[in-house]
């Protein structure tokens, strides 16, 4: 990390730790907006930070680590796609409807923190992306299983602008980074707990079964972090269709092992509302489905590999990084 | 690289393409040596080629992904040559290393003993001084490649009465020295990879001591990052993944596509992790914990592949379909993947220590 990245990391770490999983947009967003963090991936001449995908990874990972209940990740991706430095954007997962000329009628769903947003970027039904003003339609609010807002916007004959880029894939990459961070936080919480908690006269950490379980968890968390890094580096080189698919699949696998072992070593206390394991594990379970679950990304990744045949497998894999 | 592999690798028996780093083929090793692809990072004065560690890494992963039979020279190239260059006496370097780089001299590692497996610090083979010479007595077991090797690096107890990891030293032992006897151990597939090696009053010159007397434990454990994180730790079942891809092409289904995707995603991730460790080693760091994680994840992955494929396709693991042959072979071999080079339990113990749990 260079000095600028170090400063960015420390700033995001402090800010996200302060607001955490109990933040609300009303109470927490002004602090994010004040440092213009949502312009992280926006070019400097467009009023942004001009940050790289590796820097975005750092911020997204910390957002996951602190389970922050604010749409930081979505606002960064939306601003980068819409090339806007004004207002708060967010990104819809699914677009149903049709575009005629520069008007759109239909429904955008899976919108994180649609309430209070200024604009929504969404996948265009025919490729690329569109952006719609959030006030252009009717918002139905909902929540994912972690309690994060996931809303639906219904619009009739609303003006839209077309954008380049793939919001669905970029948000999948963002979720991979958040998963990597949340897994590290879950692991840290688990390690701390087993070192504190005593049973049979000694800390749980001294039992070999517990040690081996958390060692497995550490490997999974490392794999998710490495996958996130690989996908972010690929984005910095241009595009990352293979890498984002592979990274989401790998990170999703790590969630199964990680959350199961975290809850197992915590025992019943980890299952309570009071103890702060669930803001992490419930997010992980929700994020595993968001912006493409295993079925979606398996088809995206596996289809071309099978079509190309075995002789192209290794050469294709190594060509990704040169 | 790919042209060289295509020219020399015999694909007639698809089973030989699996787990290729345990398949010896001296003719292939000599061809690689002649092409300058063994001892790539070693000094030219010892037959090496003074290439960067990352160039070497790329060559290794190409060989393994293609299923090349690199077993004869693998240990010499990965560990023994480098160890001798770092710690060995000049006479020993001159005697062994150029032949290793040529793909003509092969090595084995004498670590395990009948009562020292995962508990390596229990080694009882001894070295005692007699005048200017060392005399070695004892027994090694599970010694891979001993029947092809010209030389062994053995970890032995050089200080009488010492215990655990103190008083151990490494010695270089010519396999044709009087008193060295190799007996095969046939594995459950009928294959011959392991051996017992008996060492009876084997007399060695003073120069056979590798490095510092009594420092053997530290020297051995310092090698482990090299041994644990290489591409051989996750590519052993790649031949089966390739067979599966071609099977899925002929028998298209969502479930096979999903399995191919899962295996590709894991291979991609492990390649990044393994290369990241190689980068750190190239920069002079010792990423021992990351290396251990790569091995644990990689072994678990290459071990899981046969079972996943068997569950996904209807094929006879006895053959004659190539997919079945490779599957049947790897089903039987794969239990060893999480044993060789440090068992899963030992690795997880190391990782747990890194996490601050012990």
């Amino acid at each position: 990390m260079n000095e600028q990245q170090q400063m960015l990391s420390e700033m995001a770490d402090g800010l996200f730790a302060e607001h955490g999983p109990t933040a609300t947009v009303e109470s927490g967003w002004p602090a994010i907006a004040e440092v213009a963090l949502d312009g992280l991936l926006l070019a400097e001449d467009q009023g942004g930070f001009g940050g790289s995908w590796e820097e975005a990874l750092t911020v997204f990972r910390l957002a996951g680590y602190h389970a922050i209940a604010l749409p930081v990740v979505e606002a960064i991706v939306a601003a980068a796609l819409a090339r806007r430095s004004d207002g708060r954007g967010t990104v819809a997962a699914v677009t149903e409807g049709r575009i005629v000329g520069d008007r759109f009628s239909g429904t955008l769903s899976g919108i994180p923190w649609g309430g209070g947003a200024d604009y929504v970027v969404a996948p265009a039904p025919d490729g690329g992306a569109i952006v719609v003003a959030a006030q252009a339609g009717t918002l139905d609010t909902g929540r994912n299983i972690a309690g994060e807002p996931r809303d639906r916007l219904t619009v009739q004959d609303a003006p839209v602008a077309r954008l380049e880029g793939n919001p669905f894939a970029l948000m999948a990459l963002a979720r991979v980074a958040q998963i990597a961070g949340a897994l590290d936080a879950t692991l840290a919480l688990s390690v701390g707990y087993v070192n504190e908690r005593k049973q049979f006269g000694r800390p749980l950490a001294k039992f070999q079964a517990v040690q081996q379980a958390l060692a497995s968890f550490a490997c999974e968390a490392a794999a998710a972090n490495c996958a996130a890094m690989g996908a972010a580096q690929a984005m910095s080189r241009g595009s990352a269709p293979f890498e984002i698919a592979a990274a989401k699949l790998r990170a999703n696998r790590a969630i199964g092992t990680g959350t199961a072992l975290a809850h197992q070593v915590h025992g019943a206390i980890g299952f309570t509302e009071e103890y702060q394991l669930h803001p992490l594990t419930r997010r992980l379970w929700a994020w595993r489905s968001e912006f493409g679950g295993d079925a979606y990304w398996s088809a995206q990744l596996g289809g071309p590999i099978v079509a190309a045949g075995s002789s192209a497998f290794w050469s294709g894999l190594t060509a990704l990084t040169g | 690289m790919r042209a060289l592999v295509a020219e020399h690798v015999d694909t007639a028996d698809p089973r030989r393409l699996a787990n290729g780093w345990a398949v010896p083929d001296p003719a292939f090793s000599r061809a690689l040596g002649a092409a300058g692809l063994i001892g790539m990072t070693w000094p030219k004065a010892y037959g090496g080629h003074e290439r960067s560690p990352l160039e070497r890494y790329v060559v290794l992963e190409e060989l393994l992904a293609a299923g090349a039979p690199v077993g004869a020279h693998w240990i010499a190239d990965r560990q023994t040559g480098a160890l001798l260059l770092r710690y060995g006496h000049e006479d020993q370097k001159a005697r062994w290393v150029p032949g290793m780089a040529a793909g003509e001299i092969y090595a084995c590692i004498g670590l395990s003993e009948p009562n020292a497996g995962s508990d390596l610090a229990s080694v009882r083979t001894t070295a005692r001084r007699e005048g200017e010479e060392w005399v070695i007595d004892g027994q090694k077991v599970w010694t891979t490649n001993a029947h092809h090797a010209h030389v062994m690096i053995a970890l032995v107890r050089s200080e009488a009465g010492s215990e655990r990891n103190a008083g151990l030293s490494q010695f270089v032992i010519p396999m044709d020295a009087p008193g060295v006897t190799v007996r095969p151990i046939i594995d459950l597939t009928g294959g011959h990879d392991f051996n017992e090696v008996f060492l009876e009053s084997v007399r060695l010159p003073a120069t056979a001591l590798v490095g510092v007397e009594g420092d053997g434990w530290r020297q051995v454990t310092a090698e482990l990052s090299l041994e644990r994180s290489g591409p051989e730790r996750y590519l052993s079942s790649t031949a089966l993944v390739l067979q599966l891809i071609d099977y899925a092409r002929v028998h298209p289904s969502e479930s096979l596509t999903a399995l191919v995707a899962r295996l590709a995603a894991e291979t991609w991730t492990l390649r990044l992790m393994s290369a990241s460790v190689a980068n750190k080693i190239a920069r002079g760091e010792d990423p021992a914990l990351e290396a251990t994680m790569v091995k644990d994840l990689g072994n678990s992955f290459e071990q899981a592949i046969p079972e996943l494929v068997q569950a996904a396709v209807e094929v006879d693991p006895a053959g004659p379909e190539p997919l079945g042959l490779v599957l049947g072979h790897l089903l039987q071999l794969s239990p060893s993947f999480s044993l060789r080079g440090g068992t899963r339990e030992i690795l997880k113990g190391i990782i747990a220590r890194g996490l601050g749990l012990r």
Side-chain angles (χ1 to χ4, degrees):
Chain A
M1 263 196 232
N2 61 31
E3 200 174 320
Q4 183 184 318
Q5 288 166 335
Q6 191 67 42
M7 280 172 58
L8 175 70
S9 173
E10 281 168 18
M11 185 261 280
D13 195 33
L15 204 52
F16 298 169
E18 182 189 336
H19 292 280
T22 57
T24 61
V25 170
E26 293 70 28
S27 68
W29 190 254
I32 306 291
E34 190 188 330
V35 294
L37 195 54
D38 47 343
L40 178 62
L41 282 171
L42 194 61
E44 285 182 66
D45 60 10
Q46 291 160 344
F49 215 102
S52 67
W53 275 98
E54 282 94 337
E55 286 164 337
L57 169 69
T58 302
V59 171
F60 295 170
R61 199 189 147 277
L62 287 166
Y65 191 95
H66 294 294
I68 189 172
L70 291 172
V72 179
V73 160
E74 292 79 2
I76 290 172
V77 173
L81 286 164
R83 302 183 178 187
R84 279 175 67 161
S85 60
D86 63 304
R88 175 170 73 80
T90 183
V91 183
V94 179
T95 304
E96 290 165 294
R98 48 192 234 118
I99 304 169
V100 178
D102 60 355
R103 319 291 286 187
F104 172 70
S105 296
T107 306
L108 307 180
S109 51
I111 305 172
W113 285 273
D118 296 294
Y119 61 95
V120 181
V121 175
D126 50 356
I130 54 173
V131 59
V132 183
Q135 283 70 38
T138 315
L139 195 75
D140 295 309
T141 59
R143 299 204 173 254
N144 70 10
I145 59 170
E148 295 180 313
R150 295 293 183 264
D151 305 328
R152 169 193 293 263
L153 184 69
T154 306
V155 297
Q156 195 63 45
D157 201 31
V160 300
R162 285 200 178 258
L163 306 171
E164 286 177 10
N166 185 341
F168 192 84
L170 296 187
M171 280 305 301
L173 170 54
R175 288 288 183 266
V176 171
Q178 290 172 282
I179 289 166
L183 284 171
D184 276 351
T186 307
L187 176 64
L189 205 57
S190 302
V191 168
Y193 182 77
V194 301
N195 275 323
E196 290 273 311
R197 170 76 173 164
K198 286 188 178 138
Q199 288 286 273
F200 304 101
R202 51 184 172 150
L204 294 181
K206 298 303 157 198
F207 291 88
Q208 214 168 40
V210 172
Q211 292 172 0
Q212 302 251 323
L214 290 182
S216 299
F217 184 177
C219 289
E220 291 297 307
N225 275 275
C226 199
M229 176 60 82
Q233 286 170 342
M235 275 309 298
S236 286
R237 291 191 295 268
S239 69
F242 183 106
E243 291 89 342
I244 291 174
K248 186 69 163 60
L249 286 170
R250 187 60 187 87
N252 277 0
R253 283 193 69 73
I255 291 171
T257 310
T259 55
L261 293 175
H263 277 285
Q264 192 63 30
V265 301
H266 272 91
I269 191 73
F271 197 64
T272 61
E273 186 179 46
E274 183 187 352
Y275 190 84
Q276 291 301 294
L277 179 59
H278 68 82
L280 291 162
T281 54
R282 288 165 67 223
R283 275 176 174 75
L284 286 165
W285 295 322
W287 294 342
R288 189 158 53 184
S289 290
E290 291 183 0
F291 296 97
D294 287 0
Y296 175 82
W297 287 114
S298 288
Q300 295 292 311
L301 181 67
I305 292 173
V306 170
S310 66
S311 61
F313 176 69
W314 184 256
S315 55
L317 196 74
T318 53
L320 296 170
T321 46
Chain B
M1 267 314 298
R2 286 175 186 152
L4 184 86
V5 166
E7 186 188 336
H8 288 279
V9 176
D10 178 9
T11 55
D13 182 351
R15 286 171 296 194
R16 283 175 58 84
L17 302 176
N19 197 35
W21 65 286
V23 178
D25 181 345
F28 183 75
S29 293
R30 284 192 293 273
L32 271 189
L37 298 173
I38 302 178
M40 287 177 65
T41 61
W42 304 345
K44 287 182 179 165
Y46 296 96
H49 305 282
E50 300 182 5
R51 309 292 289 253
S52 77
L54 296 179
E55 286 176 297
R56 174 175 175 271
Y57 184 87
V58 170
V59 167
L60 294 189
E61 60 172 17
E62 282 300 318
L63 289 168
L64 294 168
V70 292
H73 69 272
W74 187 260
I75 291 167
D77 181 52
R78 183 182 69 187
Q79 263 168 284
T80 314
L83 182 81
L84 285 175
L85 286 167
R86 184 165 175 192
Y87 295 116
H89 187 277
E90 184 55 43
D91 293 356
Q92 302 289 349
K93 288 195 246 185
R95 177 173 177 191
W96 302 110
V97 179
M100 289 177 174
E104 290 167 353
I105 295 285
Y106 312 130
C108 61
I109 304 173
L111 293 176
S112 294
E113 297 184 2
N115 289 304
S118 285
D119 183 12
L120 184 59
S122 295
V123 295
R124 289 199 293 208
T125 296
T126 58
R128 63 187 157 79
R129 277 181 200 277
E130 259 191 38
E132 291 295 296
E133 292 184 319
W134 289 96
V135 181
I136 313 289
D137 275 288
Q139 184 193 344
K140 295 293 176 180
V141 73
W142 316 122
T143 314
T144 296
N145 212 36
H147 54 309
H148 296 292
H150 303 88
V151 62
M152 170 193 273
I153 302 288
L155 181 70
V156 307
R157 196 161 292 289
S158 55
E159 183 188 333
S162 64
E163 286 188 17
R164 303 301 299 163
N165 50 17
L168 299 172
S169 299
Q170 286 180 292
F171 286 88
V172 50
I173 303 175
M175 295 301 283
D176 61 359
V180 177
T181 309
V182 177
R183 286 194 198 145
I185 301 174
I186 303 304
D187 69 36
L188 57 78
T189 72
H192 178 195
D193 182 33
F194 293 141
N195 300 275
E196 292 179 290
V197 180
F198 297 90
L199 304 163
E200 292 163 292
S201 300
V202 179
R203 304 188 80 83
L204 301 172
T207 60
L209 174 69
V210 178
V212 178
E213 185 181 340
D215 216 15
W217 183 263
R218 195 191 54 76
Q219 290 172 203
V220 164
T221 49
E223 282 178 70
L224 292 178
S225 291
L226 300 178
E227 189 188 332
R228 287 191 167 151
S229 60
E232 73 270 31
R233 297 303 179 188
Y234 72 95
L235 289 172
S236 304
S237 296
T238 296
L240 186 56
V241 177
L242 299 177
Q243 292 284 349
L244 179 71
I245 290 169
D246 287 337
Y247 181 91
R249 212 175 174 190
V250 182
H251 305 88
S253 79
E254 269 181 39
S255 64
L256 286 180
T257 301
L259 179 56
V260 167
R262 171 176 169 182
L263 301 179
E266 190 73 40
T267 304
W268 172 77
T269 306
L270 282 162
R271 180 167 184 261
L272 289 176
M273 298 182 85
S274 170
S276 153
V277 173
N279 264 305
K280 288 184 179 174
I281 292 172
R283 288 201 300 265
E285 300 169 33
D286 180 18
L289 186 61
E290 290 102 312
T292 307
M293 289 186 177
V294 171
K295 179 171 174 344
D296 188 33
L297 281 170
N299 291 163
S300 296
F301 171 59
E302 57 186 16
Q303 194 166 63
I305 291 171
E307 186 181 349
L308 290 168
V309 171
Q310 188 174 33
V313 300
E314 291 301 325
V315 65
D316 186 347
E321 298 296 329
L323 172 66
L325 283 174
V326 178
L327 170 62
H329 187 54
L330 281 170
L331 278 171
Q332 298 173 79
L333 273 186
S334 53
S336 70
F337 297 170
S338 56
L339 302 175
R340 59 187 182 187
T343 64
R344 171 174 295 134
E345 290 71 19
I346 292 290
L347 300 180
K348 288 203 196 297
I350 293 169
I351 296 164
R353 185 175 291 121
L355 290 173
L357 299 176
R358 47 185 294 238

